[in-house]
Amino acid sequence: MAAFPRIALLAALCLPGLALGEPQPAAPGETYRALSSDAQSSLNNAIAAALGDSLQTAVDDFRVGTTGNGSLFYRTEIAALGATSDGPREWAQLHGESFCIAADNPQMVTVAARYGAIARPYPSSAEALIGLKLGECRVVVEDASLLENIAELPEWRRFNRLLPRLADANMQLWVAAKTSELQEKVDALQQQWHANGRLQALVEQAIDDVAFQAYVLADTLDCH
């Protein structure tokens, strides 16, 4: 899926008649970018960059995705966030309603099929959050850790009703290296990073980046 340029996003927010987040088809085989704050930044990128730095090799030597190949680095579930006053109180109330979601999220089909809801994909997690504020969907469906963090922020007090995590809708990121020798080093680092908190620090930074980008984008709503 082509990235949605930031200038186009700002135009969509500030010019009458332009809408953010029109439904867009995903490019075949495109990898989901977890906790994405913009077209370049995501947890996928952060993990690959940190591995490249630690192992003194190119970032392109690693493929970070949801395919289940390689070493499992990150696992969480999805949740949903809606308006405080009139947002859905349970997942079943999404029947016939639209939900904002980052493009290629592997649980998009699950939510649509299970609850009869209509997916509205966005180029990034941050833009999906703004779609909720613009009223383009009833809830935003995202990484539960992100939404639980967002719900506690004062700027989201009008949109802090959380639907619970779906325990059977896992979100996972795996890292596959180009060579078996490099994969062994990746596997070793995966264990170390889980133990010493390095991975959690990368996750928290990615969450902070999404929250900050959403905050910046939300400022432009005043000119809409």
Side-chain angles (χ1 to χ4, degrees):
M1 178 180 193
F4 197 99
R6 185 173 302 179
I7 188 170
L9 172 66
L10 297 181
L13 292 172
C14 295
L15 295 179
L18 292 181
L20 169 67
E22 291 299 326
Q24 307 169 49
E30 186 176 5
T31 301
Y32 168 62
R33 299 184 307 115
L35 298 173
S36 51
S37 52
D38 55 36
Q40 289 78 39
S41 304
S42 66
L43 182 57
N44 304 52
N45 298 88
I47 290 174
L51 285 171
D53 184 62
S54 297
L55 298 175
Q56 294 297 293
T57 186
V59 172
D60 291 344
D61 286 341
F62 313 102
R63 181 172 54 79
V64 184
T66 61
T67 59
N69 294 327
S71 182
L72 177 61
F73 267 68
Y74 181 62
R75 186 204 305 267
T76 187
E77 299 88 30
I78 59 170
L81 185 72
T84 306
S85 60
D86 61 354
R89 296 181 178 275
E90 56 187 32
W91 285 92
Q93 291 179 327
L94 291 182
H95 183 78
E97 302 283 359
S98 61
F99 62 97
C100 297
I101 191 167
D104 301 321
N105 186 309
Q107 297 299 339
M108 183 189 305
V109 174
T110 299
V111 173
R114 183 179 298 179
Y115 301 108
I118 304 164
R120 193 178 183 91
Y122 291 74
S124 70
S125 303
E127 290 163 71
L129 285 165
I130 295 304
L132 174 64
K133 279 198 169 184
L134 286 174
E136 296 184 344
C137 55
R138 286 282 281 162
V139 298
V140 58
V141 173
E142 251 295 346
D143 183 310
S145 299
L146 169 65
L147 296 185
E148 289 162 3
N149 178 282
I150 290 290
E152 295 179 355
L153 300 177
E155 59 265 31
W156 286 88
R157 60 185 177 275
R158 293 174 54 205
F159 300 91
N160 64 5
R161 176 173 289 175
L162 278 167
L163 297 184
R165 293 181 178 223
L166 293 180
D168 61 343
N170 290 331
M171 302 289 295
Q172 300 179 356
L173 284 183
W174 299 73
V175 178
K178 278 190 174 180
T179 67
S180 58
E181 180 181 2
L182 188 58
Q183 187 67 52
E184 290 180 2
K185 296 178 180 179
V186 169
D187 294 344
L189 276 182
Q190 185 261 1
Q191 296 181 33
Q192 292 177 22
W193 288 6
H194 275 278
N196 64 20
R198 177 73 186 282
L199 179 64
Q200 184 58 33
L202 290 174
V203 173
E204 291 175 0
Q205 183 60 58
I207 288 174
D208 288 346
D209 289 346
V210 173
F212 178 74
Q213 181 70 359
Y215 175 81
V216 171
L217 296 176
D219 274 351
T220 67
L221 293 177
D222 290 337
C223 66
H224 188 262

